[in-house]
Amino acid sequence: MSSPPSPDPFATGALRSSVLRAWRDSPTRFTEDTNAERDLRAGGYRDRLFVELAQNAADAAAASGEPGRIRVSVVDGELRVANTGAPLDAEGVAALASLRASGKREGAVGRFGVGFAAVLAVTSAPRVVSRTGGVAFSEDRTRAESGRDGAVPILRLPWPVPAGEPPVPEGFDTEVRLPLRTGTQGHTEVLDRIRTEVPDLLLALPWLAEIDVDGEVWRRSADGDVVELTAPDGQGTRWLTHSGEACVWAVPVDADGVPRPVEQDVLHTPTPTDERLSLPARLLASVPVEPSRRRVLAGTSTRDALAAAARAYPGLVRSVAPRHRLALVPRAGFPMSEVDTELRELVTRRLTEDSWIPAASGAELPGERARVLGADEPRLTELLADVLPGLVAAPLCGPEIAKVLASVGASTVGVAELVEAVTGITREPSWWHALYAVLFDAVERHAIAPHELGALPVPLADGRTVPGPRGSLLVDDPEPVGDAHIVGLHIVHPDAVHPLLRRLGATLAGPGDLLAAPALGEAVERSVEDALSGVDVLPLVETVLRLAGGTSGEDLGALALPARDGWRRADELVLPESPLLDVLDPEALGEEAPLDVLDAGFARRWPDDVLTGVGVLDTFVVVDDEEPSGPDHDLPDEDEWWDSRETPPARVLAVRDLDLVADDAWPATVRLLAARPETWRALSEPEGHTRWWLARAALLEDRAPGEWRLPEAEHLAGLYEPVPDVGLPTHLLEALGVRRDLTPRAAEDAEDLCARLADPDRVLPPGLVLRAHAALAGLPPEYAEEVDPPARVRALDGSVADAADAAVLDAPWLAAAWQANRLVALPGYADAPALAELFDLPLAGDVTTAEVTSEGELAAWRDLPAIGEVADLLGVELPDGGVVVHEKLTVGAGAVPWWFDGALHAADTSEGLARAFAWAADRWAERLTIEALLDDPDPRTLLT
């Protein structure tokens, strides 16, 4: 039979005697031990209760060679932590009772070292019970044994556990029992804190397989490099790990192995320290630390350990699927500790120099040799794999990826470098089409600006590759233009045609777009010169006509076509059957003339609309410029028309070549202009060039249209004769410039009207003369300044007077002082100065020198009963002031009815008083009514 277990299996009596002796021999030793324990409890090992106990359990499991289990519970007010593994031994007890020594074996992280002091945060009487015995500590027994009051070092004096101490729970080898202090946070809070620490400790301590906290169980399992931590609710957390020299890197991953980077963490050695880290993965490394295990020790060993950890980091990155590796590149930000600063720099350097980035070619690249496509287009990466050395594989591309990889030395391949890389390479047109498709998507998403692709190479149908799509032509079949041999015409290979090329300036090869190609345009421009020098231009001509169809000939007018006499520009030729030939002056047609006739045989080979489409004339050409910048439209006398306007025209809409019309063909010409909508619109422009020019240059019965009046404009009779019957309706006659009114249309027109007024052979109604003078007074200044003053003028009495003897009537009272054959008048007096300036005549008021020579008496208007009665009948307020009443008013030697020389004068007659009062009351138009009422102030005079 085996002997019964010793009541003190770990010789705690000898340990106590040794400690007590040391305290007696050195009184300061007690104080040192007390302070040291207090420092450990309140400083280095505060808040590390479960961490330290879990480390001890992991060491016990490692010592036994079997993964360990921990169970945490609260029994009768005691926190109990049971574990499997190697049981307590004498060396461990000695370590528990020593504040300066540890019984840890090499490689152990916490086997009953000074960290056991962490239990003092919750108890003053800890016990450790194991299959091999137990040991107890007590603050009260230590105080009694030492004979000291106050604080004592609890863990320096061990005792065997009492004889009735309950055994270790079944299935476990050791249990730490901690009676909770009074004032300690409740056991619920203690257990909750432990629960939060369990996942990290299971990851950090590989010898622990299970931790049970009050019935809630966490488990650890490993499958290769993946460690899975299972929580009580069955939810698992997976960590991908990679081992290096005395270190392990770990990063959380999901079920598919996709990393979920750590945002903030601390260095684990392998249990957590206070050294904060900002790396995407957790580091568990054998780094030298202070006894408290909170801070690393500065020195070479630490730097070497961190460098070794950094060398292992690319291995962790490579264990992640290539497309997710960038998640483990340290992000920019402020370091969180000195250790973080050094470790980030070391890790970044390794990622810069070691191969880990997947290359498009299939290999792996270090950061410093990697080239990242700046555009977020993975398909582009695949296409350029053999074009750009060092290109990072898809889908690792785009601005965000480039920004991340730039931190490890990678360079970004921009659009310009991409275009340069594909310039000069030889590829099938289908490859270029695939490249364009990818780039087009990027342009549509605004990932690439179109202007950046301006030099993108384009394969042509003739086998060449040219830089830049601009100017290239997109056609389904390039053969129709092949015979023309047009230098510089770039037709894209049909297999490479893509909408991107059109977006970048290539032209869709419809007929109109082909005709607009610069190369073809240049060939057209020089075609007449080539034809005259003997070059066979017929293939070019036929190609252009085939393409032209019914398109606009605006840019094809230079095309050489055969005329009756040699080669001419298309826009200088008239169709053989054109109605223009009936109205153009014969001298306008011929080899040296402005125009010629298209060869009849050639004309029969092509439809009229094709020929007119390249500029051949069938009718008059209309110039339409909605944003004119000057008189540069090749219109007759355009400069003069432009200058005649008050403001430049906002639009030029005019008929060209009217200066080539025969003198006797104007009625037919106007009918031709009216027959087509486009020429009619130009003819209908009220202030347009066409009307302006026709009024000046056209002839009807050898006279300008403005010299005739419309038959119905009888109010102009005497000044203008009715237009002869030329077979034109009224609206066309008016459009041609035949008069409906007196308004002068230019300076020359005004001079003509003056001459007609001064013609003594013309018998003119007085009203027509007054209206004509009013029309001349309203002449725009730009016309008026160009008019030569007439030598003779039409006077108020209808006679014609020398201008030197005449004056313009500018006030009504002056008429009585002047002879009517010397006065030039117009309705009203406001425009008299303008007429005087146009005719270079004085105003009558300026040259009248006669003064009032009779005596009169000033009478206020209100003191004149007859005036008051008239004012009442008319509902007119009496004006202020009055009038000087003369029995007979004389000015100079002659009698007048009324006068104004700063004061109103009137003869004591109805005529004189009526005019003076009408002028003073601003009722001049009612002067005759006032005169009648003064003679007979009966209301019936006003009403009948």
Side-chain angles (χ1 to χ4, degrees):
M1 293 181 64
S2 61
S3 60
S6 168
D8 188 8
F10 303 123
T12 59
L15 291 173
R16 290 196 304 279
S17 296
S18 174
V19 172
L20 290 170
R21 187 183 312 112
W23 287 350
R24 288 193 298 270
D25 293 344
S26 177
T28 60
R29 181 65 179 271
F30 177 85
T31 302
E32 292 173 357
D33 287 349
T34 301
N35 291 340
E37 186 175 278
R38 184 188 65 235
D39 290 344
L40 290 172
R41 182 178 70 245
Y45 286 94
R46 59 182 166 80
D47 304 327
R48 292 179 63 88
L49 167 64
F50 187 63
V51 171
E52 296 301 325
L53 296 180
Q55 292 180 50
N56 290 340
D59 285 341
S64 69
E66 292 289 336
R69 294 180 296 109
I70 297 177
R71 187 180 72 184
V72 181
S73 60
V74 176
V75 179
D76 297 332
E78 288 187 345
L79 177 65
R80 296 186 177 183
V81 182
N83 64 271
T84 61
L88 184 64
D89 55 18
E91 183 181 4
V93 173
L96 289 172
S98 174
L99 295 176
R100 297 173 180 81
S102 176
K104 290 189 291 181
R105 302 174 181 86
E106 184 178 357
V109 294
R111 178 69 167 151
F112 296 131
V114 293
F116 189 70
V119 302
L120 299 180
V122 297
T123 187
S124 61
R127 306 190 308 281
V128 180
V129 181
S130 187
R131 290 186 290 103
T132 54
V135 62
F137 300 91
S138 170
E139 182 180 23
D140 292 340
R141 294 177 69 180
T142 299
R143 188 177 288 117
E145 190 77 16
S146 65
R148 308 292 182 98
D149 295 327
V152 295
I154 299 172
L155 300 181
R156 292 292 279 133
L157 298 181
W159 281 271
V161 293
E165 183 74 30
V168 176
E170 185 177 352
F172 293 90
D173 298 301
T174 303
E175 185 172 59
V176 178
R177 297 171 179 172
L178 308 174
L180 297 175
R181 292 175 183 273
T182 302
T184 302
Q185 59 187 144
H187 74 272
T188 301
E189 288 77 7
V190 172
L191 292 177
D192 286 343
R193 182 180 180 86
I194 290 173
R195 290 186 183 96
T196 64
E197 297 172 349
V198 168
D200 282 350
L201 290 172
L202 278 176
L203 177 64
L205 302 172
W207 279 102
L208 291 183
E210 179 182 294
I211 297 179
D212 178 340
V213 180
D214 198 26
E216 297 180 59
V217 180
W218 283 260
R219 293 183 175 85
R220 181 188 200 276
S221 60
D223 181 8
D225 292 332
V226 177
V227 173
E228 182 165 5
L229 307 179
T230 305
D233 59 1
Q235 296 294 319
T237 302
R238 296 163 59 87
W239 290 73
L240 177 66
T241 63
H242 176 74
S243 299
E245 182 182 344
C247 70
V248 174
W249 285 99
V251 63
V253 294
D254 62 16
D256 297 322
V258 178
R260 295 176 175 174
V262 176
E263 293 184 0
Q264 292 186 12
D265 203 3
V266 295
L267 175 65
H268 289 66
T269 61
T271 52
T273 67
D274 285 349
E275 300 289 0
R276 300 175 66 199
L277 299 179
S278 61
L279 293 170
R282 173 171 295 176
L283 174 60
L284 304 97
S286 297
V287 179
V289 293
E290 296 174 350
S292 66
R293 306 192 62 78
R294 288 183 175 273
R295 297 289 180 185
V296 302
L297 291 172
T300 303
S301 298
T302 295
R303 287 194 294 274
D304 291 345
L306 294 179
R311 286 193 296 273
Y313 193 80
L316 174 69
V317 179
R318 283 191 294 268
S319 64
V320 174
R323 65 183 299 146
H324 301 304
R325 291 179 183 177
L326 268 63
L328 298 183
V329 176
R331 294 301 191 264
F334 292 106
M336 305 184 73
S337 66
E338 291 183 9
V339 173
D340 191 35
T341 299
E342 184 170 1
L343 190 55
R344 283 174 61 92
E345 291 176 356
L346 291 169
V347 167
T348 300
R349 185 179 307 141
R350 295 311 337 145
L351 293 178
T352 301
E353 298 174 357
D354 292 359
S355 296
W356 62 276
I357 303 173
S361 61
E364 290 186 339
L365 301 163
E368 60 190 3
R369 286 175 39 212
R371 304 170 74 187
V372 189
L373 192 63
D376 188 8
E377 281 294 343
R379 292 174 296 165
L380 195 57
T381 300
E382 297 167 359
L383 283 168
L384 299 176
D386 60 343
V387 177
L388 285 167
L391 188 63
V392 176
L396 302 181
C397 57
E400 293 301 320
I401 300 297
K403 182 178 179 181
V404 172
L405 287 178
S407 66
V408 294
S411 60
T412 301
V413 178
V415 178
E417 187 176 355
L418 182 155
V419 171
E420 182 180 358
V422 298
T423 300
I425 67 172
T426 301
R427 292 291 187 277
E428 290 296 322
S430 58
W431 183 90
W432 290 103
H433 183 276
L435 177 65
Y436 299 153
V438 176
L439 292 175
F440 183 71
D441 290 345
V443 169
E444 290 291 289
R445 292 186 292 102
H446 304 290
I448 294 177
H451 70 84
E452 297 181 276
L453 300 173
L456 187 66
V458 179
L460 302 182
D462 60 10
R464 294 177 298 138
T465 300
V466 295
R470 187 167 297 279
S472 298
L473 305 175
L474 307 173
V475 298
D476 294 328
D477 181 7
E479 291 302 319
V481 295
D483 293 341
H485 301 295
I486 300 170
V487 177
L489 195 62
H490 294 165
I491 299 179
V492 180
H493 194 289
D495 292 343
V497 170
H498 190 277
L500 174 69
L501 299 179
R502 188 178 182 189
R503 181 78 173 269
L504 299 180
T507 303
L508 187 63
D513 297 301
L514 278 172
L515 292 171
L520 189 141
E522 292 171 6
V524 168
E525 285 293 329
R526 64 175 182 269
S527 61
V528 172
E529 181 181 351
D530 288 346
L532 295 177
S533 64
V535 176
D536 182 11
V537 297
L538 200 55
L540 171 66
V541 170
E542 293 182 344
T543 294
V544 171
L545 293 178
R546 281 197 300 269
L547 293 173
T551 61
S552 170
E554 180 179 353
D555 298 324
L556 300 173
L559 180 66
L561 292 179
R564 291 184 300 191
D565 300 301
W567 292 87
R568 292 289 291 267
R569 289 171 55 104
D571 56 8
E572 295 177 354
L573 291 171
V574 181
L575 289 176
E577 304 299 325
S578 170
L580 280 179
L581 297 177
D582 296 330
V583 300
L584 293 178
D585 192 314
E587 294 185 0
L589 299 167
E591 184 176 3
E592 301 297 329
L595 300 176
D596 204 345
V597 180
L598 181 66
D599 178 78
F602 185 86
R604 284 192 293 270
R605 293 175 50 202
W606 299 95
D608 286 354
D609 63 334
V610 172
L611 294 171
T612 56
V614 297
V616 178
L617 303 178
D618 184 38
T619 186
F620 287 102
V621 174
V622 173
V623 174
D624 188 358
D625 184 355
E626 295 186 351
E627 295 183 356
S629 58
D632 53 3
H633 303 88
D634 196 25
L635 299 171
D637 301 327
E638 186 178 4
D639 288 343
E640 188 177 345
W641 168 69
W642 195 280
D643 294 338
S644 71
R645 300 176 57 90
E646 291 186 26
T647 59
R651 177 187 183 188
V652 173
L653 181 65
V655 178
R656 201 189 72 188
D657 300 330
L658 290 175
D659 53 335
L660 304 181
V661 173
D663 290 344
D664 59 353
W666 285 109
T669 298
V670 173
R671 284 192 290 271
L672 186 59
L673 294 176
R676 300 196 180 218
E678 62 274 13
T679 50
W680 171 246
R681 281 194 294 271
L683 182 62
S684 303
E685 282 281 303
E687 297 183 7
H689 173 274
T690 301
R691 276 201 173 191
W692 174 88
W693 195 85
L694 288 175
R696 292 162 50 93
L699 293 175
L700 295 176
E701 297 294 331
D702 296 324
R703 292 168 64 179
E707 296 183 27
W708 302 105
R709 65 172 172 85
L710 295 174
E712 60 266 33
E714 295 181 357
H715 59 285
L716 303 183
L719 281 176
Y720 298 98
E721 289 71 38
V723 64
D725 185 4
V726 292
L728 294 177
T730 298
H731 72 283
L732 292 185
L733 290 171
E734 193 169 3
L736 194 56
V738 177
R739 291 189 173 277
R740 180 179 289 278
D741 55 40
L742 288 167
T743 304
R745 297 159 183 168
E748 296 88 344
D749 201 12
E751 290 178 350
D752 177 71
L753 179 56
C754 290
R756 291 171 183 270
L757 287 168
D759 183 357
D761 294 332
R762 293 182 182 273
V763 179
L764 303 178
L768 177 59
V769 174
L770 293 176
R771 292 193 299 276
H773 285 159
L776 289 168
L779 193 67
E782 63 269 19
Y783 292 164
E785 63 185 14
E786 297 180 7
V787 174
D788 290 331
R792 295 174 66 79
V793 293
R794 182 71 63 163
L796 184 59
D797 65 349
S799 65
V800 175
D802 289 338
D805 299 329
V808 175
L809 181 64
D810 58 331
W813 58 88
L814 298 173
W818 283 75
Q819 297 177 6
N821 62 358
R822 295 183 59 196
L823 286 177
V824 176
L826 70 169
Y829 302 98
D831 292 334
L835 184 64
E837 183 175 359
L838 182 72
F839 282 2
D840 195 19
L841 297 178
L843 292 170
D846 292 341
V847 294
T848 299
T849 59
E851 297 180 353
V852 175
T853 56
S854 59
E855 296 292 332
E857 183 177 351
L858 177 65
W861 294 113
R862 67 177 64 88
D863 295 335
L864 297 173
I867 292 295
E869 191 173 0
V870 170
D872 180 61
L873 285 170
L874 294 176
V876 177
E877 290 187 10
L878 290 172
D880 295 332
V883 59
V884 179
V885 181
H886 299 253
E887 182 176 351
K888 180 180 180 181
L889 174 63
T890 58
V891 174
V896 297
W898 71 295
W899 196 258
F900 181 76
D901 58 3
L904 277 172
H905 299 265
D908 191 10
T909 64
S910 298
E911 179 187 5
L913 288 172
R915 281 159 176 73
F917 177 69
W919 189 262
D922 196 21
R923 304 296 285 264
W924 181 248
E926 300 176 66
R927 62 191 180 279
L928 297 180
T929 301
I930 296 172
E931 181 180 354
L933 289 172
L934 286 173
D935 288 334
D936 183 7
D938 190 304
R940 287 174 294 180
T941 304
L942 179 65
L943 298 175
T944 61

